[in-house]
């Protein structure tokens, strides 16, 4: 199981970037789950910022987006899940 | 120089996905440029869909987001540019 961060349109990209960098160092991988355009945008900015945070450790991050169905308040929604990993 | 696709909030994810798949097969790489949350969301969906299109060729796609400054109508704007490449 990879650690999962739920990102919303209100999430701060720099805070999410810090969490991404931490999980990459500790677990080697992290997943970000987003519902809606605003959330996808914040997650994307966070990944771009996190690339800078981990560059000094010799990592470059890449992301793989996929659709996932999630249930929220008994309704089915389609989320975007980004798998973020380092390329060495 | 990689081919560059400009994606907007009005772009169709399936059409962009088709263009991504074509460029990956021909050039091995493509870049997507987006300004605004709607555009980033459509580009992300397009990458997720394109992964399915190229899977039968044995490719898995990954993306690397970065900030770039672009000039539009003599105004400086910050865009997100995704570099999309295959992992074999």
């Amino acid at each position: 199981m990879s650690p999962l961060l739920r990102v919303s349109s209100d999430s701060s990209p720099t805070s999410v970037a810090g969490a991404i960098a931490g999980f990459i160092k500790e677990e080697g991988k992290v997943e970000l789950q987003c519902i809606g355009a605003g959330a996808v945008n914040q997650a994307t900015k966070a990944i771009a910022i996190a690339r800078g945070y981990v560059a000094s450790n010799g990592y470059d991050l890449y992301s793989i987006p996929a659709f996932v169905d999630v249930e929220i308040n008994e309704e089915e929604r389609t989320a975007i899940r980004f798998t973020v990993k380092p390329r060495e």
Side-chain angles (χ1 to χ4, degrees), chain A residues 1-59:
Chain A
M1 279 289 285
S2 305
L4 179 69
L5 295 171
R6 285 186 179 77
V7 179
S8 80
S9 57
D10 295 330
S11 299
S12 148
T14 51
S15 301
V16 177
I20 292 171
F23 280 122
I24 291 292
K25 282 174 203 163
E26 283 162 32
E27 311 277 344
K29 190 179 175 183
V30 61
E31 300 199 336
L32 310 183
Q33 185 169 296
C34 316
I35 296 174
V40 168
N41 191 42
Q42 297 308 75
T44 298
K45 287 187 208 166
I47 297 165
I49 295 166
R51 289 181 63 217
Y53 290 175
V54 302
S56 60
N57 298 90
Y59 296 131

